[in-house]
Amino acid sequence: MAKTLAEKVWDRHVVRRGSGAEPDLLYIDLHLVHEVTSPQAFDGLRLAGRPVRRPDLTIATEDHNVPTVGIDLPIADPVSRTQVETLRRNCAEFGVRLHPMGDAEQGIVHVVGPQLGLTQPGMTVVCGDSHTSTHGAFGALAFGIGTSEVEHVMATQTLPLRPFKTMAVTITGELRPGVTAKDVILAVIARIGTGGGQGYVLEYRGPAIEKLSMEARMTVCNMSIEAGARAGMIAPDETTFAYLKGRPHAPAGELWDNAVADWRGLRTDDGAVFDAEVVLDADELTPFVTWGTNPGQGLPLSATVPDPERIADENERVAAEKALSYMDLVPGTPLREISVDTVFLGSCTNGRIEDLRAAAAVIAGRQVADGVRMLVVPGSMRVKAQAEAEGLHEVFLAAGAEWRQAGCSMCLGMNPDQLAPGERSASTSNRNFEGRQGKGGRTHLVSPLVAAATAVRGTLSSPEDLVTASAGGTNTAASAQN
Amino acid sequence: MEPFTTHTGVGVPLRRSNVDTDQIIPAVYLKRVTRTGFEDGLFAAWRSDEHFVLNQEPYRAGSVLVAGPDFGTGSSREHAVWALSDYGFRTVLSARFADIFRGNAGKAGLLAAQLEQSDIELLWKLLETEPGTEVTVDLREKTVRAKEFTAPFAVDDYTRWRLLEGLDDIGLTLRHAAVIDEFEQARADYLPVTTPIAGA
Ligand code: SF4
């Protein structure tokens, strides 16, 4: 029978088929751990006298709480400090590999796995974190789990689960210059809604997806959860193999050849049936930004703040009214005229080297606008080192931006990197919920290109706006369009 | 997980409906890094009121909570069940439970037993007129008894079996340890391991 990619990966991991109401028992190839959702899972093991079954399929990093300045000092916040110290104790006790603050491999859990080559096609990957969907970019089935499931995986390396439904998200055509993976996924979420993916694995496919780099694919899959989906996936191809080859934990020699031969079979069969399908045309996409308080409330940058009166659906209208009041926005205002206090470049969505390169190309030779602060937070220490080797940090520093250590940072403001009440940000992260970046803070989700251009102009902008503004000038805006 | 066959303990009448998980344990108590010790957060807001039922003898030492309908609604936090268990409750009786709460309870060894609201009312009266009355909850017979009072309760068969056997989710899975072993033997040899650290 013809199968989808998700079904193939699922079937490879069924340890035991459930009968009737009983779920399947699924084997987990890689378990990623961080300090926030793991302490009670470890404690549960301790209470029951159980070991971590496969420490060699488990890896931990410190990311959510870590400060991005002064990382050689003790963490000031007592709750954060306790969580980090607890993780260190637990990893030592249970024999789990940990990359602590300051370590060369430390970083956001979803940046670390792929860059080490631990995330590979056809694997099952879980983490007590909803953005685990990121790893689906490699053709892995990757999804977030709760704390008691974390304990379950630690104890058994399996999870009892019922199969997910499948949805094909096909992106036809070709992305125009300046339009990025972030714009694609924001447009997808705006189309299907924040609940539209509920219960589904989304498989992104079509020519526009096939052309994306691995890092861009990770950006797309990362935000699947914001459409309510359990996971997002993209079939592995030459781009995937080229990215993996030579990474520390990628197979080598003969094993590499076997692996690639196997991975080539990981694509949805012709004639396989999805439970749902959505099609978007890449040619029609432009830079996309959010105006509201959920990731589905987004529009092209050229649009104006929507008028709730014109929204037919009652629930959506009420949601829009609430969002606009929280965001302090007036219907009809051009999005380009919204000014921001802060620009945040980072997170597991857009904190990788390509994201930093793209933003640096826009900002090179320019200045962050007066009254705007720009935080650049690499997704991992390795990304940071790479960026510094390429001199990107100097570009950001010269423009007046702050260059920080790796971590989740202002994506969720569990560390001191927060918006003050009433402050507004353009952020390359993935959630614009009320208070997400700090109590009373207002978030506009954007791509790295839009983030950089916004930092320069002080209002939501795309790199094109910089070119127009300085037409006839001598700067290097043309290079911003890659 | 300790098997649950029959339990006898002091009944606590909680005359409230729609007790949501925020009332059972407020968010500020969720920062703890252990799996135990959540009893101090149980009904935290209400316990600051000296008239609250758990602040009175002999209810203080209760282990059978008799609550109004729609118990455990709201956020899916597992801590709500942990807080009740850590305090010493072995079972909650109510005419209706939120689905997620009921699921979480079964997983953590707390019996969520569903009674008719009319029976709940009778129990409330009994427990209030004779404080300290012990209630027996018999999972094998699916009945609740206290003095002359007897009533049946409902619980789904799967949860009942698990509680009787004392099996948590992990315990259940580990019954299939041999199948997991076998599966592991057959995994592809190119799949990565995290240790030893490659390239270190
Ligand atoms: S960067 Fe943000 S979304 Fe990603 S793991 Fe950290 S907190 Fe979660």
Side-chain angles (χ1 to χ4, degrees):
Chain A
M1 205 187 78
K3 286 196 219 168
T4 63
L5 168 60
E7 287 161 347
K8 287 186 185 179
V9 179
W10 183 282
D11 287 349
R12 285 175 167 217
H13 291 86
V14 175
V15 172
R16 190 176 169 275
R17 283 264 175 228
S19 52
E22 208 188 351
D24 288 350
L25 193 61
L26 214 65
Y27 198 81
I28 303 301
D29 291 321
L30 179 65
H31 187 190
L32 306 160
V33 173
H34 63 88
E35 76 275 15
V36 178
T37 51
S38 65
Q40 276 130 15
F42 279 115
D43 207 38
L45 292 183
R46 202 175 286 121
L47 288 173
R50 289 170 177 143
V52 171
R53 181 183 170 95
R54 295 293 302 265
D56 61 334
L57 302 183
T58 312
I59 184 169
T61 86
E62 298 169 1
D63 55 8
H64 283 65
N65 280 288
V66 303
T68 54
V69 283
I71 60 165
D72 42 347
L73 303 171
I75 302 179
D77 179 73
V79 174
S80 298
R81 192 172 58 232
T82 308
Q83 289 188 343
V84 165
E85 284 170 357
T86 305
L87 181 68
R88 291 179 189 176
R89 259 201 322 277
N90 284 332
C91 286
E93 179 181 340
F94 288 91
V96 171
R97 169 177 173 185
L98 168 69
H99 293 295
M101 232 161 63
D103 184 276
E105 295 294 353
Q106 178 268 341
I108 306 172
V109 72
H110 309 309
V111 177
V112 169
Q115 83 189 1
L116 284 172
L118 283 169
T119 304
Q120 297 174 16
M123 289 172 62
T124 44
V125 180
V126 299
C127 175
D129 184 280
S130 49
H131 293 95
T132 309
S133 57
T134 312
H135 307 263
F138 292 80
L141 183 60
F143 49 94
I145 55 178
T147 295
S148 52
E149 291 173 302
V150 169
E151 183 182 341
H152 197 111
V153 175
M154 285 175 172
T156 70
Q157 205 58 35
T158 64
L159 271 181
L161 286 169
R162 271 171 250 286
F164 308 138
K165 293 180 287 181
T166 57
M167 184 188 295
V169 179
T170 307
I171 316 288
T172 59
E174 198 174 339
L175 288 176
R176 294 205 297 230
V179 183
T180 67
K182 183 65 163 281
D183 305 307
V184 172
I185 188 62
L186 285 174
V188 168
I189 300 165
R191 162 76 82 85
I192 67 176
T194 50
Q198 218 141 40
Y200 288 98
V201 178
L202 312 184
E203 184 186 329
Y204 304 97
R205 52 213 311 253
I209 295 293
E210 285 161 25
K211 284 223 181 78
L212 294 179
S213 69
M214 280 321 291
E215 304 213 333
R217 293 179 191 186
M218 285 190 250
T219 301
V220 172
C221 289
N222 172 277
M223 289 191 68
S224 304
I225 179 75
E226 308 309 337
R230 279 308 299 263
M233 296 179 95
I234 294 172
D237 59 11
E238 298 308 322
T239 306
T240 321
F241 310 149
Y243 177 95
L244 274 168
K245 190 155 191 175
R247 300 228 163 228
H249 287 274
E254 198 183 321
L255 286 180
W256 170 261
D257 298 333
N258 297 345
V260 172
D262 192 13
W263 294 341
R264 286 190 199 282
L266 289 170
R267 37 186 51 255
T268 293
D269 294 327
D270 295 338
V273 182
F274 290 91
D275 298 305
E277 294 203 46
V278 180
V279 182
L280 258 77
D281 185 358
D283 295 288
E284 287 173 11
L285 296 179
T286 56
F288 219 81
V289 301
T290 63
W291 50 267
T293 52
N294 74 52
Q297 293 174 322
L299 280 171
L301 179 61
S302 53
T304 56
V305 173
D307 184 352
E309 296 290 312
R310 299 210 186 152
I311 299 178
D313 181 271
E314 157 105 39
N315 286 334
E316 275 180 41
R317 183 169 60 242
V318 174
E321 278 165 2
K322 265 190 64 197
L324 290 186
S325 124
Y326 180 85
M327 294 295 288
D328 192 25
L329 291 175
V330 181
T333 311
L335 294 173
R336 277 197 159 85
E337 286 176 13
I338 297 173
S339 53
V340 304
D341 309 287
T342 297
V343 172
F344 172 62
L345 176 61
S347 87
C348 61
T349 313
N350 283 126
R352 298 186 173 78
I353 189 69
E354 278 183 14
D355 302 312
L356 302 192
R357 283 182 193 141
V362 172
I363 218 159
R366 298 195 164 97
Q367 284 297 312
V368 173
D370 282 345
V372 174
R373 87 175 150 153
M374 180 180 193
L375 241 65
V376 185
V377 183
S380 70
M381 292 303 271
R382 203 183 259 249
V383 169
K384 178 168 181 274
Q386 173 75 29
E388 288 177 353
E390 296 178 17
L392 302 183
H393 64 309
E394 278 159 11
V395 173
F396 289 116
L397 288 168
E402 296 175 39
W403 179 249
R404 297 292 190 92
Q405 306 286 336
C408 294
S409 180
M410 198 181 269
C411 175
L412 86 170
M414 264 184 103
N415 75 349
D417 307 342
Q418 296 182 7
L419 293 180
E423 269 189 341
R424 186 183 297 281
S425 76
S427 175
T428 65
S429 55
N430 45 49
R431 284 185 171 158
N432 51 343
F433 298 160
E434 290 186 15
R436 166 84 173 179
Q437 296 189 295
K439 200 159 183 272
R442 302 178 174 126
T443 305
H444 296 273
L445 299 178
V446 301
S447 73
L449 292 180
V450 170
T454 300
V456 172
R457 284 188 75 220
T459 58
L460 294 178
S461 308
S462 73
E464 274 177 27
D465 299 323
L466 303 183
V467 184
T468 337
S470 60
T474 54
N475 62 43
T476 56
S479 66
Q481 297 295 311
N482 54 17
Chain B
M1 202 164 94
E2 223 178 300
F4 189 120
T5 48
T6 176
H7 171 77
T8 301
V10 170
V12 178
L14 184 68
R15 275 192 186 263
R16 293 178 193 251
S17 57
N18 265 303
V19 176
D20 66 46
T21 52
D22 258 303
Q23 291 167 314
I24 299 173
I25 185 164
V28 294
Y29 289 90
L30 309 185
K31 292 178 175 170
R32 184 172 275 119
V33 292
T34 55
R35 175 63 183 69
T36 53
F38 289 93
E39 64 275 9
D40 57 353
L42 180 69
F43 300 131
W46 297 338
R47 269 160 84 193
S48 61
D49 168 8
E50 56 176 308
H51 302 297
F52 182 61
V53 62
L54 284 183
N55 288 333
Q56 294 169 42
E57 300 297 348
Y59 300 122
R60 200 187 294 271
S63 61
V64 178
L65 187 65
V66 186
D70 293 313
F71 189 86
T73 53
S75 129
S76 64
R77 61 186 65 149
E78 296 169 67
H79 309 72
V81 171
W82 301 347
L84 286 161
S85 299
D86 289 352
Y87 184 89
F89 285 107
R90 292 295 324 269
T91 174
V92 181
L93 317 182
S94 168
R96 207 159 49 228
F97 291 95
D99 279 343
I100 296 183
F101 177 86
R102 200 201 341 242
N104 288 343
K107 287 182 187 182
L110 179 77
L111 170 63
Q114 196 173 340
L115 275 76
E116 293 294 330
Q117 181 59 23
S118 53
D119 288 328
I120 296 280
E121 308 263 353
L122 288 174
L123 260 178
W124 277 344
K125 257 186 221 132
L126 174 62
L127 297 175
E128 283 162 358
T129 46
E130 298 179 52
T133 300
E134 293 204 327
V135 179
T136 296
V137 180
D138 187 334
L139 183 56
R140 284 167 309 194
E141 304 282 325
K142 293 202 276 183
T143 56
V144 176
R145 295 186 300 274
K147 299 259 164 90
E148 267 68 73
F149 173 90
T150 310
F153 69 81
V155 58
D156 70 90
D157 289 341
Y158 182 64
T159 304
R160 176 167 171 269
W161 168 74
R162 284 179 49 165
L163 286 167
L164 286 171
E165 299 280 318
L167 286 170
D168 58 10
D169 268 353
I170 294 175
L172 271 174
T173 295
L174 289 177
R175 285 155 76 104
H176 306 301
V179 197
I180 301 174
D181 289 341
E182 212 175 293
F183 183 94
E184 279 178 334
Q185 298 304 321
R187 291 176 76 231
D189 53 359
Y190 64 75
L191 284 166
V193 287
T194 56
T195 51
I197 298 177

